Amino acid sequence: MKVAKFGGSSVASATQFRKVADIVSSDVERRIVIVSAPGKRFKDDVKVTDMLIQLAQAVIDGKAYDEVLDEIVKRYAEIANELELTAGEFLAELQDDLRWKISEYRNEPCRLMDVIKASGEDHNARLMALYLQETGLEASYVSPREAGIFVTDEPGNAQILPESYEKLYQLRNRRGVLVIPGFFGYSLDGHIVTFPRGGSDISGSIVAAGVKADVYENFTDVDSIYCVNPSIIANPRKLKEITYREMRELSYSGFSVFHDEALEPVYRAGIPVCVKNTNNPAAPGTWIVAKRNHQEEPIAGIASDTGFCSINISKYLMNREIGFGRRVLQILEDEGISYEHTPSGIDNMSVILRASQLEGEKEKRILDRIQTELEVDEVNVEYGLALIMVVGEGMERTVGMAAKATTALAKANINLEMINQGSSEVSMMFGVKEEVVTNAVRALYEAYFQELPVGNSVK
């Protein structure tokens, strides 16, 4: 059995719906389909999810919303009409559903935003089931509640409840193709609750784990996962295989293919994932697996992200002061701030975090507390940092990987603000100024993917 998830670009128009139908009908093992809301049809188009957020926000702000609601209905109507579906009843239900949700949750902003956003996937799954039936497939829409996707009651941050997996396994006994909307589940009290960023990918992963699928296919708009962002490197190397751990590190560090939480259910269940192209399904895609051969390609990929800052702290004999690091992190916790990395020396430490977390008065409060409570010699904040992550499980067994990176950056005349490597040696992190991050990534790509393999494998 295969679970196939189709992203927003894969279900953005009638043309894409037809491609999905061809893909589903071409393999009898594709028994369960997860769909996103319609995405962009062209560069300057608007995603349906963004339109729904606009609708919910208008209601929350007490503004007129009929025009936005009509545009949303029109978007689904265009897909249905081009598919030559008799969809009058479907479109009426769509409009009635949105208006009922607005009426029901008008005075609960968080609930309203969740139920309205979830409508994109929900109604697209209904429309997809109608179309698959029209093509002659035995297909049916299955709501997340009927499927058994029960989650914590945290609007916008739902977490799957363990009891869901036993319920989901029963889907194996259902006939035909099952179409399930992604992005949301139901709380035990019956509320619609959405997953965090990358929610439809999370849904697909949960369902694949629940039904114990042989393969989880994730259909998108590229032939494979690239080892680096193609907007930085033209025609970068395609990855045939990548491990779950490597994919998680890259997702966390800026890769847009998967949110870093999305693979956890299939990782724990040991289900291989294949990333494929809806527009070119014959392409082999990229497999995400538990283990791969690292000898030829010890590095899996390079990811980068901007918008970081560093709180730099110095104090003589810091290393002898028991609990110093804990007290620094406690101050951040008191302000509700999470951190990314904490490189340190004997008399200094840095805390790397998202710069957006220091907005308003938080920066001053934090610096004042560190200065006063920890009696440091110096504390300051350095903005404009970018983080680059070089990821590959083969680094652990290959000599000279760090040297190769630092040499490449030095040749490109790029100054390193910091360097950090985890104990697992799955990744190396480099901090550079934002204005040189593109050149830094290019230098690392050339070093790792356009030169001969470095060093010798360590047995």
Side-chain angles (χ1 to χ4, degrees), residues 199-264:
S200 290
D201 288 330
I202 295 173
S203 296
S205 187
I206 287 169
V207 172
V211 300
K212 293 181 170 55
D214 299 305
V215 176
Y216 170 38
E217 296 179 315
N218 193 291
F219 282 88
T220 180
D221 55 4
V222 293
D223 281 353
S224 61
I225 298 172
Y226 297 104
C227 67
V228 70
N229 188 335
S231 68
I232 296 176
I233 303 293
N235 302 313
R237 184 176 299 187
K238 297 175 181 177
L239 295 174
K240 295 178 181 178
E241 284 187 329
I242 187 171
T243 68
Y244 298 116
R245 284 207 304 170
E246 290 169 336
M247 193 69 236
R248 175 181 163 21
E249 292 269 357
L250 289 167
S251 297
Y252 159 78
S253 309
F255 259 40
S256 59
V257 179
F258 283 106
H259 184 249
D260 56 345
E261 294 179 22
L263 289 175
E264 182 184 10

Side-chain angles (χ1 to χ4, degrees), residues 14 24-25 34 65 71-72 95 120 152 155 159 180 208 215 272 300-301 321 329 346 353 360 388 397 403 438:
V24 173
S25 61
I34 312 293
Y65 58 81
E71 283 298 314
I72 293 166
Q95 185 157 164
T152 57
Q159 304 296 313
I180 304 173
V215 176
E321 192 169 331
L329 298 181
I346 58 171
L353 47 88
I388 303 170
R397 293 177 294 277
T438 297

Side-chain angles (χ1 to χ4, degrees), residues 92-104:
E93 288 177 354
L94 166 58
Q95 185 157 164
D96 289 346
D97 179 65
L98 289 174
R99 292 193 180 279
W100 179 85
K101 287 172 178 173
I102 289 170
S103 174
E104 186 74 10

